[in-house]
Amino acid sequence: MQQTEICKFLKVFFSENGCAITETSPYSIQVQLTEELDKALMNRPFYWHYIEKMGGQPNLSTLSLKTDPNEEEGELIHFGSPRLHKIFSYVIEKGRFGQFFEPVPPEGNTVPLKPWLCLNGKIVYHCHQKKEEIFSIGLSLITGEMLKEFHSLVKGGSLKVSIPDFCFTLTPLIKPVSGIERIHKYLFHTIEKENHQWAEEAMCKMDKELALLERFYAGTAEKPPSYEKEKASITGLYAPSIQLEIINGGIFHLHNHPLTGFSLEE
Amino acid sequence: MQPPILTDNKWIEEFTEALNLQKSLSSWKQYNMAFETAQKNMISDFQTLEAPKQLPQLTFHDYQYDAARKALNEMNGRAILADEVGLGKTIEAGLILKEYMIRGLVKKVLILAPASLVTQWCAELNSKFYIPAVEQRKKPQWETVDIMVTSIDTAKRGNHAEIIKNIDYDMVIIDEAHKLKNKKTKNYQFVREVKKKFCLLLTATPVQNKLSELFHLISLLKPGYLGDEEAFNDYFQRGEHYGELQELIKKVMIRNRRDETEMDWPKRIVQTVPVRFSSDYHSVYQQICQLKQKMKEEYLSPQSGFLVLTLQREFCSSREAVFMTLKNAVEKREMPSEQMNQEFLNMMTSLNHLPSHPKADKVLDLINSWEKDEKVVIFTEYRATQLYLQWFLGQHGIRSVPFRGGFKRSKKDWMRQLFQNQAQVLIATEAGGEGINLQFCHRIINYDLPWNPMRIEQRIGRLHRLGQEKDVNIYHLAVENTIEDHILKLLYKKIGLFEGVIGELDHILEKFGSNHIQSHLSSIFSQSESEGEMRIKLDHLSSIVLEEENEEATHATN
């Protein structure tokens, strides 16, 4: 993330969360935190414990942040700063589950909305190294149709969290839980077709080091405690695995098919 | 092969619950922001370093960056970082740790550092790397604190050790790891029994005396990598398969040398300061030398040669140092003959009549010749000398602070602070040489010379390191026509020890294998019958060393 991008992100984040922002310059802001954000970002549990016990009026913190090191006032925020990472985890925590509706303009007739399930996540390739790959898959809970890059299809629409007037939702034929299973199956299938040379290499390293370890202790009749520890360390280090980590997901009630675009807001 | 695939069952459960209860559901903006943020923080490949992106205010030298990349990608996070003193091994370790943390491969970390460096480790990791490292307190919370910095002496204590051994550490970092060279020590056993996926061993002197030290270090990282001990000794100790060994070592050890880093280092200005004994001092020195002959006549144990050697070296340092040794010998009745005992007692009396030590006078001259309050570190081998010097300087209105390896961590920090802010002189004994950074000081006096050449490098490295902005002045004090002079002129000068390219020295020491210099020196000095014999033997030793060095050079040019 570039500094200008971070600056934009911060402004969106704080205003989304109901904080009053004063722009002191293009690259620095002053934010009056809400109670929730104060608790989430300021790391002062004792203060909050005290206030809640005593029933006092909390004195909410003000944050002064800058994204340009040349600015005078404020705490410098960059891609590595702990404050930003706290914000990141807060953002991710707050956006894990959703239920959204396409904003269909009222036309007199009642309109059915079809349910879709979407899972956004990462395939994590894990051994002594790690890499990740993002996936976003949508599944029609009526027809079982599956769409890749689902999120990029829907993210442009201004979806709502409550059902628009004159709309009704169709009951899914596929239950969300089975839907999740289907998506997983699809992912398993794709992963299995991939080339897993990385895992083979890791296993190879593991076997080599385990063999060395055996040889190292070959002469000792009774193996010392360090032997088991070292063995466990080596296995723990190299053993390859793949994790399907879900970032977020939700049920989407859509009138139009995602590939054809959505109704715009009135 | 198909690695096992694990699913995120926790998310699935929580999602189902959120839908059923219609709670914890996000707004559309929140949902979008969460996914975008996660994408921004994605690790897209195995190898590219992510950490530098998150540390924009740190500039890494190329060699540091390369070291981290190598440790991560080629050595699988198990490496010996063996840069010369002062090149920033801590920075390299920090970078590697940060990278693993960003990648989520490391959460639980144990850092073992010399007590005097614990605070500094914490401060650097927190301020430079935003790694929330915590210093161990009176009641250490090994289980709950994720990144704990402590000294090995604390960690290995019974009650702590048991807890630590049951924790699965993702990474263990050990600073000044050469202290683990002896596999029989408790420290070594302890480290071996800590479960650690990734492991970094930091040392500027992976080999101090013997190749087997390196064997033990590597066996902590990769047991069996160099075979078992016996096989290793058989195969490598004789030095025949040196090239092969070097290749193996290169795969687990990263070593940057000053002269290879292409950086403009502050210079080392080395100066030998001759000291002359006055006639009264000289005659006592002679008295000590004659002891050797006398002891021989009485057929005393072979160690007596060594005792005389010690006395000679001590006398070149301070009266107090000799006095302590004599007193000990007399009190413990180590001298079998009454005549020898009397000899010692006489000597103690003559010591009492001597004026201040000419070396101390020389130190005073040196200090007075500099600008007012110019700071200096004085290294001595003897505690008695340390005390004497402190008293002596105090008599002349110069404030000094002592520094010893045995000090508690807090005391070390305090002494360093005092030296930086209030005292002009820091007097350190050998053990105190490690684990303090004194970049704010630009002068060193080697009050007496250690016999292990690597130690000199360690001493100098306290000051001549990353962060030192001025040239460093180094003064070697040696008393003319004494054993010190011999060491200095006949050995150290010949092998170019002081010329600054000490990096080569460890090559030589590595090659020397078990026949290490120290024991050579001891035997030469204690067993030579005459001055002439000693000269020849020293000459011989230096030419062997030089030969090794030349061979090294021709290898390099080939």
Side-chain angles (χ1 to χ4, degrees):
Chain A
M1 259 176 140
Q2 299 298 318
Q3 290 305 94
T4 46
E5 210 182 332
I6 291 172
C7 191
K8 223 169 92 193
F9 171 84
L10 288 175
K11 286 178 194 164
V12 174
F13 170 76
F14 285 114
S15 62
E16 263 314 298
N17 283 284
C19 300
I21 306 174
T22 326
E23 263 181 66
T24 36
S25 85
Y27 303 106
S28 63
I29 50 173
Q30 210 158 39
V31 188
Q32 175 65 58
L33 294 182
T34 58
E35 182 172 332
E36 188 179 345
L37 278 195
D38 190 304
K39 283 180 187 166
L41 302 180
M42 299 313 288
N43 193 24
R44 42 179 198 165
F46 296 115
Y47 174 76
W48 282 107
H49 186 75
Y50 170 79
I51 288 291
E52 276 155 24
K53 272 265 149 36
M54 306 301 284
Q57 257 316 310
N59 193 355
L60 296 171
S61 316
T62 315
L63 266 182
S64 178
L65 308 172
K66 59 176 181 181
T67 48
D68 181 347
N70 299 322
E71 291 287 332
E72 276 174 25
E73 292 279 306
E75 172 188 341
L76 178 65
I77 300 291
H78 55 80
F79 191 52
S81 67
R83 179 89 63 203
L84 187 62
H85 281 265
K86 257 201 162 144
I87 293 176
F88 282 164
S89 25
Y90 181 82
V91 165
I92 291 172
E93 182 56 40
K94 283 289 155 186
R96 292 173 77 206
F97 320 113
Q99 187 166 25
F100 305 110
F101 300 86
E102 187 178 344
V104 187
E107 281 168 6
N109 306 330
T110 51
V111 177
L113 298 179
K114 286 159 240 156
W116 290 75
L117 166 74
C118 172
L119 294 186
N120 297 323
K122 300 189 272 194
I123 305 172
V124 183
Y125 301 87
H126 186 285
C127 52
H128 60 288
Q129 296 175 313
K130 187 171 176 182
K131 71 170 179 186
E132 300 169 335
E133 234 174 72
I134 292 281
F135 66 82
S136 170
I137 294 171
L139 174 83
S140 162
L141 295 179
I142 302 285
T143 63
E145 179 190 5
M146 216 178 272
L147 291 176
K148 284 196 271 188
E149 308 294 332
F150 188 84
H151 187 74
S152 56
L153 295 175
V154 294
K155 73 175 176 195
S158 1
L159 303 186
K160 300 287 173 235
V161 289
S162 52
I163 191 161
D165 295 341
F166 304 106
C167 288
F168 65 94
T169 55
L170 293 178
T171 313
L173 297 176
I174 303 165
K175 281 199 185 119
V177 177
S178 337
I180 293 172
E181 237 168 75
R182 282 198 194 198
I183 293 176
H184 274 143
K185 250 188 214 144
Y186 165 77
L187 285 169
F188 287 169
H189 189 65
T190 358
I191 291 167
E192 274 157 22
K193 280 192 295 191
E194 283 171 6
N195 177 356
H196 294 296
Q197 208 189 331
W198 63 274
E200 261 152 56
E201 279 166 14
M203 284 301 279
C204 193
K205 282 180 180 172
M206 178 162 97
D207 291 342
K208 256 191 208 156
E209 288 197 17
L210 285 175
L212 287 177
L213 185 75
E214 289 303 326
R215 229 188 301 157
F216 188 67
Y217 287 103
T220 44
E222 197 183 321
K223 296 198 164 62
S226 55
Y227 168 77
E228 285 303 328
K229 297 270 170 127
E230 277 156 355
K231 198 168 168 181
S233 299
I234 293 172
T235 327
L237 174 61
Y238 292 112
S241 69
I242 296 174
Q243 289 139 26
L244 295 182
E245 238 178 74
I246 297 179
I247 298 162
N248 62 7
I251 304 288
F252 289 74
H253 301 277
L254 305 176
H255 173 55
N256 292 297
H257 191 280
L259 287 176
T260 62
F262 296 129
S263 328
L264 295 169
E265 235 177 326
E266 319 106 77
Chain B
M1 76 157 282
Q2 173 61 55
I5 304 175
L6 313 165
T7 53
D8 194 344
N9 297 328
K10 186 171 161 256
W11 185 89
I12 298 171
E13 261 170 48
E14 288 174 16
F15 177 58
T16 322
E17 190 183 295
L19 281 184
N20 286 341
L21 303 175
Q22 290 283 305
K23 64 159 211 187
S24 344
L25 292 173
S26 335
S27 75
W28 179 231
K29 261 259 165 62
Q30 283 176 323
Y31 180 88
N32 274 305
M33 265 184 117
F35 189 41
E36 266 166 43
T37 305
Q39 277 174 299
K40 287 269 179 330
N41 286 287
M42 193 189 65
I43 312 293
S44 53
D45 71 33
F46 279 137
Q47 308 229 317
T48 317
L49 293 196
E50 299 283 333
K53 291 180 216 161
Q54 300 209 9
L55 304 166
Q57 78 299 8
L58 272 188
T59 33
F60 297 101
H61 298 292
D62 287 347
Y63 67 86
Q64 293 175 325
Y65 196 78
D66 287 343
R69 207 163 29 202
K70 219 167 147 193
L72 285 153
N73 295 336
E74 290 168 32
M75 300 178 174
N76 313 317
R78 292 180 167 216
I80 300 177
L81 302 179
D83 289 359
E84 279 180 336
V85 180
L87 290 187
K89 289 184 287 291
T90 320
I91 297 291
E92 290 167 9
L95 180 56
I96 295 166
L97 173 59
K98 181 77 182 177
E99 182 67 30
Y100 275 128
M101 291 181 69
I102 291 174
R103 287 178 175 265
L105 286 165
V106 164
K107 272 206 179 71
K108 192 85 185 159
V109 184
L110 180 66
I111 298 170
L112 300 171
S116 59
L117 283 181
V118 167
T119 312
Q120 198 178 329
W121 263 94
C122 271
E124 281 203 20
L125 288 180
N126 276 288
S127 67
K128 291 189 177 146
F129 292 96
Y130 314 110
I131 293 173
V134 173
E135 205 175 315
Q136 139 268 323
R137 300 286 148 128
K138 277 252 160 61
K139 271 193 191 158
Q141 298 178 297
W142 306 108
E143 282 119 330
T144 46
V145 171
D146 275 341
I147 298 147
M148 182 73 101
V149 187
T150 182
S151 74
I152 197 161
D153 292 320
T154 308
K156 75 166 179 213
R157 267 185 234 144
N159 47 341
H160 299 325
E162 284 320 304
I163 304 172
I164 291 173
K165 282 180 198 168
N166 282 321
I167 297 174
D168 284 352
Y169 284 102
D170 297 315
M171 182 176 251
V172 173
I173 299 177
I174 301 173
D175 196 7
E176 307 282 1
H178 51 267
K179 293 196 175 140
L180 296 174
K181 63 191 173 185
N182 185 348
K183 65 160 182 171
K184 293 202 180 74
T185 57
K186 264 197 170 162
N187 287 0
Y188 190 90
Q189 290 303 333
F190 167 71
V191 169
R192 170 162 266 181
E193 285 177 31
V194 176
K195 232 196 289 176
K196 48 198 177 295
K197 272 204 274 182
F198 301 103
C199 182
L200 300 175
L201 302 178
L202 279 56
T203 171
T205 50
V207 177
Q208 281 190 307
N209 288 314
K210 305 190 236 173
L211 261 186
S212 63
E213 296 169 359
L214 193 56
F215 171 81
H216 293 310
L217 274 188
I218 291 177
S219 296
L220 282 178
L221 281 186
K222 288 193 174 187
Y225 180 72
L226 297 175
D228 63 20
E229 195 173 358
E230 204 179 320
F232 174 83
N233 285 338
D234 284 352
Y235 195 67
F236 291 118
Q237 281 293 50
R238 287 187 221 108
E240 287 160 24
H241 302 94
Y242 190 66
E244 197 180 325
L245 179 62
Q246 263 188 332
E247 279 309 306
L248 283 170
I249 290 173
K250 264 190 207 153
K251 291 190 183 141
V252 289
M253 180 165 103
I254 298 165
R255 180 145 175 84
N256 290 306
R257 292 165 203 277
R258 238 185 209 83
D259 47 327
E260 290 168 359
T261 53
E262 296 177 356
M263 285 172 50
D264 248 348
W265 285 90
K267 281 201 216 70
R268 298 176 171 195
I269 302 162
V270 181
Q271 200 179 329
T272 306
V273 182
V275 177
R276 180 160 292 180
F277 271 160
S278 54
S279 59
D280 39 1
Y281 262 89
H282 188 70
S283 74
V284 178
Y285 187 76
Q286 286 309 319
Q287 230 177 313
I288 295 174
C289 297
Q290 282 153 15
L291 270 183
K292 190 155 133 191
Q293 205 49 40
K294 287 185 187 156
M295 287 167 118
K296 206 165 238 164
E297 281 159 15
E298 295 199 25
Y299 299 106
L300 295 175
S301 68
Q303 278 124 327
S304 56
F306 189 72
L307 175 67
V308 172
L309 187 61
T310 308
L311 291 173
Q312 285 173 321
R313 292 182 65 193
E314 286 173 342
F315 190 68
C316 291
S317 182
S318 69
R319 293 167 301 175
E320 284 71 6
V322 189
F323 191 84
M324 291 306 289
T325 309
L326 289 174
K327 192 165 147 244
N328 267 334
V330 172
E331 276 172 3
K332 287 190 189 149
R333 299 239 146 239
E334 274 170 5
M335 300 292 108
S337 84
E338 200 44 49
Q339 199 194 337
M340 270 333 273
N341 222 13
Q342 196 49 49
E343 193 82 40
F344 272 35
L345 288 171
N346 289 344
M347 212 176 289
M348 283 159 80
T349 332
S350 31
L351 282 176
N352 269 332
H353 294 121
L354 289 174
S356 60
H357 199 280
K359 252 193 192 170
D361 292 336
K362 192 57 109 186
V363 167
L364 195 62
D365 288 349
L366 272 174
I367 292 178
N368 285 333
S369 71
W370 304 329
E371 269 173 49
K372 204 170 167 284
D373 292 332
E374 175 85 31
K375 291 195 190 301
V376 59
V377 180
I378 303 179
F379 280 105
T380 173
E381 299 251 275
Y382 307 103
R383 272 191 65 180
T385 305
Q386 186 185 34
L387 290 170
Y388 167 66
L389 273 177
Q390 205 184 356
W391 171 85
F392 178 81
L393 292 174
Q395 291 291 303
H396 292 85
I398 295 169
R399 291 191 69 173
S400 62
V401 286
F403 197 94
R404 281 196 287 277
F407 283 176
K408 283 218 171 94
R409 181 205 324 164
S410 53
K411 186 160 180 187
K412 282 186 177 174
D413 287 341
W414 174 235
M415 288 298 154
R416 183 183 174 280
Q417 202 89 37
L418 273 182
F419 176 44
Q420 186 162 12
N421 300 328
Q422 308 201 19
Q424 188 181 359
V425 181
L426 181 120
I427 309 171
T429 53
E430 204 49 54
E434 276 171 23
I436 35 164
N437 296 334
L438 303 166
Q439 291 104 315
F440 56 86
C441 174
H442 321 294
R443 292 182 197 272
I444 294 178
I445 296 178
N446 278 316
Y447 190 83
D448 31 43
L449 289 179
W451 284 14
N452 182 343
M454 285 316 280
R455 286 224 195 129
I456 295 203
E457 178 59 26
Q458 269 171 351
R459 287 176 171 185
I460 299 172
R462 293 297 115 215
L463 279 65
H464 191 246
R465 61 188 6 234
L466 225 54
Q468 177 61 265
E469 280 162 6
K470 294 195 187 165
D471 293 344
V472 175
N473 284 284
I474 302 154
Y475 306 89
H476 298 294
L477 264 50
V479 183
E480 287 180 341
N481 298 318
T482 62
I483 184 165
E484 270 190 347
D485 213 19
H486 293 317
I487 294 264
L488 190 74
K489 284 203 185 119
L490 296 176
L491 186 66
Y492 285 3
K493 275 200 175 164
K494 268 197 182 161
I495 64 176
L497 180 62
F498 304 133
E499 263 65 77
V501 223
I502 297 179
E504 283 160 26
L505 194 72
D506 51 351
H507 265 318
I508 301 160
L509 286 178
E510 277 160 29
K511 282 206 166 185
F512 249 61
S514 56
N515 316 326
H516 45 131
I517 287 188
Q518 257 175 303
S519 64
H520 270 299
L521 287 178
S522 290
S523 71
I524 290 174
F525 285 116
S526 61
Q527 282 159 24
S528 297
E529 300 278 334
S530 67
E531 179 96 12
E533 184 184 340
M534 190 179 65
R535 269 176 200 281
I536 291 169
K537 281 182 176 167
L538 270 178
D539 227 31
H540 203 71
L541 179 63
S542 62
S543 62
I544 295 174
V545 173
L546 279 175
E547 220 167 87
E548 298 280 0
E549 202 175 339
N550 289 337
E551 215 171 279
E552 193 72 38
T554 35
H555 266 296
T557 46
N558 287 346

